[in-house]
Amino acid sequence: MNIVCIGGGPAGLYFSLLMKKHNPAHRITVVERNRPYDTFGWGVVFSDQTLDNLMKADEPTAREILRSFNHWDDIDVFFKGAKVTSGGHGFCGIGRKRLLNILQQRCEELGVELLFETEVGDDRELAARHDADLVIASDGLNSRTRTRYADSYQPRIEARQCRFVWLGTRKKFDAFTFAFKQTAHGWFQAHIYQYDGETSTFIVETPESVWRAAGLEDMSQNRAIAYCEQLFAEQLDGPGLMSNSPHLQGANMWIKFPRIVCDQWVHWNETGGKRVPVVLMGDAAHSAHYSIGSGTKLALEDAIELARCFGRHADAEAALAAYQAARAEEVAKLQSAARNSMEWFENVERYCAMEAPQFAYSMLTRSQRLSHENLRLRDAAYVAGYEDWFAARAFERAGLPAPEPKPSTSVPPMFTPFKVRDLVLKNRIVVSPMAQYSAVDGVVGDYHLAHLGARAMGGAAMVFAEMTCVSADARITPACPGLYTPEQTQAWRRIVDFVHRHSDAHIAVQLGHAGAKGSTRVMWEGIDQPLDTGNWPLVSASPQQYLTGVSQTARAMTLADMDRIEDDFVRATRAAEQAGFDWVELHCAHGYLLSSFISPLTNERGDEYGGSLENRCRYPLRVFTAMRAAWPAHKPMSVRISAHDWVEGGITPGDAVRIARLFKAAGADMIDCSSGQVSKLERPVYGRMFQTPFADRIRNEAGIGAIAVGSIFEADHANGIIAAGRADLCAVGRPHLANPAWTLGEAAKLGYTAVSWPKQYLPAKQQLERNMERERRAD
């Protein structure tokens, strides 16, 4: 093929040398607007895994890169006068100029033609001049090619919240260093790493509001550098900071990171009588925030995959389809992690109340790619020390004596106690409320006794009963449980007594009203489908049909309806106390009645219960306040909310923080942070722990306890969430359906035996401990 690469960065150069290596008959030209060996970057970072990929793709290039790397294992975090170090991270730094030199030299060795100081004004003219069969657009973040063919590539470009500047220093750092400094205007942070024998990259970053307040917008380059030198004088310890972009002055030296996502990476042109693909690669196709050091990694791995696809497919269309299919998923995963990392650094203020050890742990695990057990593999001593630190504080706050730290018996974060009002939970795992559709006339029976009893004996600190309805017309289905008759209260009392008698778990009830999502069939007969017969009237904040053209239409609630339903919630709350429940949760999520008031998607009222967020929360808050007054003061109450509607114009995570603050002021102890199910137009972004960021924001911005939910399915997830302060409790649902003793099972996997067991299982626990002790002695 005749191949033209627009842009002589890592992506274009590496793809060119790989293609030339695979088939020397290819004629490949790289066109670069800068002079030979020019670059405006400092250093780039690779993980050991990326180096392995490079070694497999082209060993001579990889070995030359390896000879030029500065390698380190430690990460140092400086915060509030403290330094926290963790090891085993396995990163390498190399100067960007040196990396480009290596790639350029390898291209020349293989016969790739390099054209420097050449602007590409018209890619089609360039393709025609070279009789190109393939055009690679690796022209960077500000890609002209992507802009020209935006209709094909469908880019989404989002300028982020921080301003940052790339600087360098002659100070050598023996660890990847993160330094955080508080000023009168807000927080600044530096990302620092050494990349050759004498130079380190020094990135200074701060939210734009802080940047403006500090006056940096109007400072010359020299004054701005002097400001940064003074701010991070402790880390620099003498040497100054340098810029390699003297042409940039004032605000121009400070960059806003553009997050780039393209739905398609290939555009086809008719050039010289043939169809010629123009393929995006590297930053032109996608960007990954520098805080996880993966922009260059993505570019090189794009090149590896595209070259591999052309090696496997004779047909260009098939090769390009395979390329995008293979890379899109990997890029999406890494961009998701990069977004988490980026948002953490944009919101350092959110975590500034933490003590240095937890702040550093939160930073290390910010992307959700680096887990608790992965940290342990990297640096077991660091994790053990942190677990002991965390456990000591948790036991103290719970009013319990802390266990003595021993080399092999640190308490995993998920097994530390947690106190809410007068209730002490033995660990941080609760069983989510999960609808079972097995009640008869709202009365629970043996099925619920077995379902909740088994999970209470399975090691969790507390089990949540499914949404329990406050009146007959509040039910989702005819098979939903209730707390509106004495018979129902007595049936619940039997289950609560069983849990208390046979386990040391607590039991909570979630009270709710289905609203416009009521009067439907049980799930296995048609989820959200209305009953064939026997439907009851529905109410909602505003007239609403949950499934357009299918569901009943709910009418808007009147003030009289509000009074009646508030009384229903209060009566159910008193019944919950009579039944002996330890905890009450108010359901204000998932499009049910109280959720329909909160979301602007379902609340179109023109009175004091509609309009602003505060007005939309007015009725749910009124119900909660009345329930709190009826519920014993020493017992906790939580509120489940949909922290994100996943629909444009709906509730956002920022709104969720405001909602949480309102319920906190009304006396709520915790927010149960779910999302969605308000509209069928929703487009959730699923993944491991995908709703945990909502709990993180609510806990650390609203200052209220938070319960994390959603795709938490192993101890590693729960330990990381609790240890990082992203939530106080983890609600685990589906795994407990598969295994009622999920919590005990995860404890066994960790080798942790100091966990409460059901009374009748104590002999089995003792036998397990004896067996484990024998295995330890044998080892």
Side-chain angles (χ1 to χ4, degrees):
M1 291 192 294
N2 290 339
I3 301 171
V4 177
C5 288
I6 303 172
L13 291 170
Y14 202 54
F15 174 73
S16 298
L17 72 86
L18 291 177
M19 288 296 286
K20 194 70 173 176
K21 175 185 173 183
H22 291 168
N23 188 346
H26 292 320
R27 181 186 171 196
I28 306 176
T29 305
V30 178
V31 184
E32 169 58 48
R33 66 181 180 179
N34 292 320
R35 295 174 297 177
Y37 310 121
D38 257 7
T39 182
F40 298 103
W42 288 96
V44 296
V45 177
F46 294 141
S47 67
D48 289 346
Q49 181 183 8
T50 302
L51 292 175
D52 290 341
N53 294 337
L54 298 182
M55 187 66 75
K56 293 172 185 174
D58 185 54
E59 187 172 339
T61 303
R63 292 204 177 280
E64 191 60 36
I65 290 172
L66 278 168
R67 280 193 286 271
S68 305
F69 263 130
N70 183 71
H71 187 276
W72 69 87
D73 282 318
D74 287 353
I75 291 178
D76 287 344
V77 180
F78 292 86
F79 178 70
K80 292 183 178 178
K83 174 185 173 183
V84 178
T85 300
S86 66
H89 297 284
F91 281 101
C92 298
I94 185 173
R96 181 175 169 82
K97 180 180 287 190
R98 178 64 184 137
L99 175 64
L100 291 178
N101 289 353
I102 292 169
L103 298 178
Q104 289 161 356
Q105 290 166 7
R106 181 68 170 146
C107 282
E108 290 169 346
E109 288 173 11
L110 294 169
V112 176
E113 183 180 0
L114 305 180
L115 295 181
F116 292 99
E117 300 182 75
T118 303
E119 285 283 353
V120 178
D122 186 336
D123 63 279
R124 298 185 68 170
E125 186 277 328
L126 179 72
R129 181 163 20 108
H130 290 271
D131 190 26
D133 303 300
L134 171 66
V135 176
I136 299 297
S138 53
D139 48 348
L141 288 171
N142 300 311
S143 170
R144 294 179 182 176
T145 312
R146 184 184 63 231
T147 301
R148 182 175 187 180
Y149 303 120
D151 287 346
S152 293
Y153 298 129
Q154 301 172 48
R156 287 167 280 140
I157 303 173
E158 176 188 13
R160 296 302 302 181
Q161 300 173 15
C162 281
R163 291 276 185 167
F164 67 96
V165 60
W166 287 84
L167 300 171
T169 179
R170 297 298 182 195
K171 166 74 181 292
K172 293 184 285 187
F173 289 82
D174 57 7
F176 201 130
T177 300
F178 295 92
F180 298 85
K181 298 289 182 179
Q182 187 174 23
T183 71
H185 312 292
W187 286 87
F188 285 76
Q189 53 260 9
H191 310 238
I192 315 163
Y193 54 91
Q194 185 176 338
Y195 63 83
D196 62 23
E198 59 182 22
T199 320
S200 299
T201 297
F202 204 106
I203 306 170
V204 179
E205 176 186 37
T206 190
E208 181 158 14
S209 58
V210 178
W211 176 76
R212 292 185 185 279
L216 286 160
E217 180 181 14
D218 302 318
M219 288 186 192
S220 67
Q221 184 175 107
N222 288 340
R223 282 186 61 207
I225 289 175
Y227 181 94
C228 294
E229 287 174 340
Q230 183 178 9
L231 191 59
F232 294 101
E234 179 186 354
Q235 280 69 47
L236 289 167
D237 194 26
L241 294 172
M242 308 176 292
S243 169
N244 63 0
S245 304
H247 60 291
L248 297 177
Q249 292 296 323
N252 292 328
M253 68 182 285
W254 294 87
I255 309 165
K256 291 186 76 172
F257 182 80
R259 185 174 188 272
I260 298 168
V261 179
C262 290
D263 291 341
Q264 300 295 325
W265 297 357
V266 182
H267 168 81
W268 293 85
N269 278 330
E270 290 290 335
T271 304
K274 59 184 176 183
R275 293 182 76 229
V276 178
V278 183
V279 184
L280 297 181
M281 189 182 291
D283 285 344
H286 43 66
S287 62
H289 195 253
Y290 54 84
S291 63
I292 62 170
S294 293
T296 305
K297 162 195 164 70
L298 281 179
L300 296 176
E301 292 180 352
D302 282 354
I304 292 170
E305 186 59 39
L306 185 54
R308 182 185 292 132
C309 288
F310 272 110
R312 291 175 176 172
H313 300 273
D315 177 68
E317 291 200 31
L320 293 172
Y323 163 64
Q324 180 159 340
R327 289 298 294 153
E329 183 176 351
E330 288 305 310
V331 168
K333 289 177 183 177
L334 201 141
Q335 283 192 310
S336 175
R339 186 184 190 105
N340 290 339
S341 177
M342 173 179 62
E343 290 183 348
W344 193 95
F345 281 105
E346 288 175 341
N347 294 283
V348 168
E349 181 77 30
R350 182 186 298 163
Y351 307 103
C352 67
M354 291 180 173
E355 295 180 69
Q358 187 169 49
F359 180 89
Y361 184 98
S362 174
M363 196 218 72
L364 288 170
T365 58
R366 65 195 179 276
S367 71
Q368 293 190 179
R369 286 197 308 167
L370 185 55
S371 71
H372 192 73
E373 291 308 312
N374 191 280
L375 271 178
R376 194 190 306 278
L377 285 174
R378 296 174 184 224
D379 190 342
Y382 163 73
V383 171
Y386 181 73
E387 286 182 338
D388 289 340
W389 178 90
F390 185 90
R393 280 151 183 77
F395 277 88
E396 180 182 1
R397 289 168 184 158
L400 298 173
E404 291 184 25
K406 296 178 183 177
S408 60
T409 57
S410 293
V411 182
M414 66 184 278
F415 288 112
T416 59
F418 186 68
K419 184 176 182 180
V420 192
R421 296 195 182 235
D422 288 353
L423 185 72
V424 177
L425 298 174
K426 64 182 180 181
N427 61 51
R428 306 302 186 95
I429 303 299
V430 300
V431 178
S432 298
M434 295 175 285
Q436 300 299 299
Y437 307 116
S438 299
V440 178
D441 294 328
V443 178
V444 294
D446 289 347
Y447 176 89
H448 299 86
L449 179 72
H451 169 69
L452 293 169
R455 283 148 189 86
M457 294 191 298
M462 184 165 69
V463 292
F464 271 94
E466 64 197 275
M467 186 176 100
T468 300
C469 304
V470 297
S471 61
D473 59 357
R475 291 175 296 170
I476 309 167
T477 76
C480 289
L483 258 178
Y484 49 88
T485 71
E487 184 184 7
Q488 293 163 358
T489 303
Q490 284 304 114
W492 276 120
R493 179 86 219 186
R494 173 175 172 246
I495 293 169
V496 171
D497 286 348
F498 180 91
V499 168
H500 288 160
R501 187 167 58 252
H502 294 284
S503 78
D504 55 1
H506 296 283
I507 183 167
V509 64
Q510 184 187 72
L511 296 179
H513 189 300
K517 296 176 75 173
S519 192
T520 63
R521 306 172 198 172
V522 294
M523 183 173 62
W524 48 88
E525 293 178 1
I527 189 168
D528 295 324
Q529 299 296 310
L531 298 170
D532 292 328
T533 60
N535 284 285
W536 54 85
L538 304 179
V539 293
S540 185
S542 300
Q544 182 194 353
Q545 198 176 26
Y546 181 64
L547 293 182
T548 304
V550 176
S551 300
Q552 281 192 73
T553 299
R555 63 174 176 81
M557 284 178 66
T558 65
L559 297 180
D561 292 327
M562 292 185 189
D563 291 340
R564 172 178 58 83
I565 291 173
E566 178 186 338
D567 289 344
D568 290 342
F569 273 99
V570 171
R571 181 186 63 230
T573 303
R574 293 194 174 112
E577 165 61 9
Q578 292 169 15
F581 282 104
D582 303 301
W583 183 304
V584 163
E585 178 166 282
L586 176 62
H587 203 326
C588 294
H590 300 168
Y592 296 127
L593 180 66
L594 298 181
S595 170
S596 76
F597 276 86
I598 296 172
S599 175
L601 300 175
T602 49
N603 186 338
E604 298 176 346
R605 299 179 71 95
D607 59 9
E608 67 268 33
Y609 296 100
S612 69
L613 178 63
E614 288 72 20
N615 279 1
R616 298 198 309 272
C617 289
R618 189 185 300 272
Y619 183 63
L621 286 166
R622 176 179 143 187
V623 170
F624 177 86
T625 301
M627 291 170 63
R628 180 70 266 185
W631 184 242
H634 67 281
K635 290 188 176 184
M637 283 187 68
S638 58
V639 180
R640 172 165 279 206
I641 67 170
S642 285
H644 198 325
D645 283 345
W646 303 107
V647 177
E648 186 175 353
I651 291 296
T652 66
D655 295 330
V657 173
R658 294 168 60 195
I659 294 166
R661 287 181 175 136
L662 292 170
F663 277 106
K664 177 185 177 183
D669 300 296
M670 303 197 80
I671 301 296
D672 194 348
C673 305
S674 188
S675 70
Q677 302 180 53
V678 172
S679 166
K680 286 297 185 182
L681 300 176
E682 67 182 8
R683 296 183 64 186
V685 180
Y686 294 112
R688 291 180 305 121
M689 303 175 283
F690 75 104
Q691 295 179 133
T692 297
F694 310 142
D696 187 345
R697 284 199 68 172
I698 285 169
R699 181 184 187 275
N700 292 299
E701 288 186 33
I704 184 173
I707 305 174
V709 308
S711 290
I712 300 167
F713 51 82
E714 58 185 34
D716 204 11
H717 298 162
N719 279 323
I721 290 167
I722 300 303
R726 296 190 173 95
D728 300 288
L729 301 174
C730 290
V732 178
R734 287 178 176 85
H736 275 120
L737 283 180
N739 177 10
W742 178 86
T743 305
L744 290 177
E746 293 301 295
K749 290 177 187 176
L750 293 173
Y752 180 71
T753 57
V755 60
S756 297
W757 287 57
K759 294 168 187 174
Q760 59 268 48
Y761 291 171
L762 284 175
K765 170 182 180 283
Q766 292 159 3
Q767 184 61 49
L768 175 62
E769 289 174 339
R770 284 195 292 269
N771 291 343
M772 294 183 71
E773 181 61 28
R774 277 198 295 270
E775 290 174 10
R776 276 195 291 270
R777 289 175 180 171
D779 289 343

